[in-house]
DNA sequence: GTTGTAAATTAGGTAAAACTAATTATGTAT
DNA sequence: ATACATAATTAGTTTTACCTAATTTACAAC
């Protein structure tokens, strides 16, 4: 089912709003798109008719499965084009958004895949946002240092910033690797060292030098 | 003055039709765009209002100077994107037209120039059509073999296909170089040799092997 | 519980760009 | 010169995606 430029923008907006808020209200969409609420309700009815969203006043707008697939497809194209503009055409990362807003609506069966391959299948766009795969899956990414965690917060180790042998040996000795589940039990104010559990084993104390170099995927 | 998608398509179409026919009739535009004549006349009035064309029933549509600049800008973008699609994304030359039709309408001040530089400032698109420079100038190009000329046709030598020393020496001896003006006086059926003048000097007879390797710019 | 405000909705309207159907103008052939 | 076909034009309609203005609904404060 082909979609108009405007429908695509609504789907994309509903997707983004749904990530940050639990309810996607008509008002929120109107604000995000800088459209009149009266215009928005028309479009919501149209998208509902096409079964791309569900909508009612109390639940707000929710993407159906086909709606989410469509939204992710547009976001994928948007982010791939941003990579192209920055890496190939030498735009600055802050100049590319409005161009990608146009490019994301180019329709062609093969285009996203060919562009993706040409760019070397990047996982993140120039702003660090993950690029959905063609099946809609987002790459999970490690974006938060262990040192920034609060007490009782948990996460999964996604990458390490220090790749020196001594550091990696130390991690091995701790039984900590990519995928390990970490929970912070305590944070010591005076030197920022932490008491943590690794995969629910016995608690261990680690230094701030260590926690600064571990990047985790938050839940 | 910013232009709509549709206005841009009309300007482009009028430009192309103007190259092949002396009068660009309403009917011709309607056929080219597969639009109803009634729709076309509305748009012609709008473009006339904006002083991008002149139009009347007897003269047909004629681009004004700003109209032609706008048309060439769109054609430039179309052809640059075609080069991108074929050379960078590995599309076949016959698959790219409908994608370029969409990409040509992307608006950004710097985009065409950056794309042009990225592609290495190509002079021709994958179909061999010349890419207008940003100032609207078309590269002149040698596209026709002397062997394909008719009797009495004239042209200017643009390039040679055989760059071997013996061939170039032979040309020098004939006083023929890039820029020489050629006129065909006669074509001999039995071996396809030709009688030509070079820069209006005395007639000379040249073989088909020679005429096959000379590319000319037609008037 | 009444009231005030924000959100949602309805009703009706506009602009762009297309359409159909009817009409007028033009040009060519006999 | 008339008639016929083709081209140009007019009038009125449709669709998409917006809008404004008025109304209704929801909910929080007192």
């Amino acid at each position: 089912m082909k979609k108009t430029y405007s429908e695509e923008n609504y789907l994309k907006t509903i997707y983004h709003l749904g990530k940050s808020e639990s309810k996607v209200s008509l008002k929120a969409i109107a604000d995000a798109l800088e459209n009149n609420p009266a215009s928005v309700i028309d479009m919501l009815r149209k998208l509902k008719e096409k079964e791309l969203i569900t909508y009612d006043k109390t639940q707000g707008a929710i993407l159906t499965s086909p709606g989410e697939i469509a939204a992710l497809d547009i976001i994928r194209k948007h982010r791939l084009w941003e990579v192209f503009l920055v890496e190939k055409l030498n735009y600055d990362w802050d100049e590319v958004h409005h161009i990608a807003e146009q490019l994301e609506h180019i329709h062609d069966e093969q285009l996203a895949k060919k562009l993706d391959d040409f760019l070397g299948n990047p996982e993140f766009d120039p702003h660090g946002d993950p690029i959905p795969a063609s099946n809609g899956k987002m790459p999970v990414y490690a974006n938060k240092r262990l040192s920034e965690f609060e007490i009782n917060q948990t996460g999964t180790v996604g990458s390490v910033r220090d790749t020196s042998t001594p550091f990696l040996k130390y991690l091995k000795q701790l039984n900590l690797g990519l995928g390990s589940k970490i929970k912070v039990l305590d944070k010591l104010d005076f030197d920022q060292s932490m008491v943590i559990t690794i995969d629910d084993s016995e608690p261990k104390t680690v230094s701030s030098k260590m926690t600064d170099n571990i990047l985790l995927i938050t839940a």
Side-chain angles (χ1 to χ4, degrees), chain A:
Chain A
M1 195 196 341
K2 74 170 180 288
K3 288 149 209 89
T4 65
Y5 191 103
S6 197
E7 285 169 0
E8 291 185 348
N9 278 334
Y10 273 85
L11 293 173
K12 188 182 60 162
T13 301
I14 293 166
Y15 180 90
H16 287 313
L17 291 173
K19 284 288 140 184
S20 51
E21 288 155 63
S22 58
K23 177 188 162 184
V24 180
S25 68
L26 186 149
K27 174 76 161 48
I29 298 168
D31 287 349
L33 290 169
E34 297 184 286
N35 274 357
N36 193 290
S39 312
V40 174
I41 204 167
D42 282 349
M43 182 59 90
L44 292 185
R45 262 192 277 265
K46 187 178 167 193
L47 294 174
K48 194 176 173 180
E49 190 66 33
K50 291 191 169 193
E51 299 186 11
L52 293 166
I53 64 166
T54 61
Y55 173 73
D56 67 73
K57 162 169 46 190
T58 41
Q59 300 283 143
I62 298 167
L63 293 172
T64 61
S65 176
E68 179 165 319
I69 288 168
L72 283 168
D73 185 54
I74 298 152
I75 292 165
R76 169 173 160 77
K77 289 191 280 179
H78 182 103
R79 293 180 179 167
L80 285 172
W81 280 117
E82 285 200 343
V83 173
F84 170 72
L85 293 169
V86 169
E87 296 200 350
K88 303 297 181 179
L89 300 195
N90 297 310
Y91 276 94
D92 288 333
W93 68 273
D94 59 321
E95 301 174 310
V96 296
H97 187 75
H98 81 281
I99 313 173
E101 289 279 305
Q102 302 172 64
L103 287 166
E104 71 191 5
H105 301 291
I106 303 292
H107 287 281
D108 179 72
E109 201 56 48
Q110 306 172 69
L111 185 56
K113 173 158 182 26
K114 282 180 178 279
L115 184 60
D116 190 31
D117 288 345
F118 173 63
L119 297 172
N121 312 112
E123 291 206 295
F124 303 100
D125 77 9
H127 307 97
D129 293 316
I131 299 172
S134 54
N135 61 14
K137 285 249 183 350
M138 287 279 195
V140 205
Y141 64 124
N143 60 347
K144 197 161 181 179
R145 295 183 196 185
L146 178 52
S147 55
E148 294 165 338
F149 271 42
E150 304 300 326
I151 290 171
N152 278 323
Q153 197 174 353
T154 60
T156 306
V157 177
S159 67
V160 292
R161 298 174 67 221
D162 180 348
T163 54
S164 69
T165 313
F167 185 61
L168 296 177
K169 270 193 177 163
Y170 169 53
L171 297 185
K172 195 167 189 177
Q173 189 201 306
L174 286 170
N175 250 319
L176 184 154
L178 297 185
S180 295
K181 195 186 144 207
I182 305 286
K183 179 172 184 177
V184 176
L185 300 183
D186 201 8
K187 257 176 116 162
L188 305 183
D189 268 348
F190 89 97
D191 69 351
Q192 306 301 318
S193 65
M194 280 180 169
V195 180
I196 63 172
T197 59
I198 300 165
D199 291 320
D200 301 311
S201 63
E202 77 292 348
K204 280 170 180 161
T205 303
V206 289
S207 71
S208 69
K209 185 170 174 188
M210 186 277 195
T211 60
D212 243 15
N213 282 291
I214 301 286
L215 292 173
L216 296 102
I217 300 152
T218 55

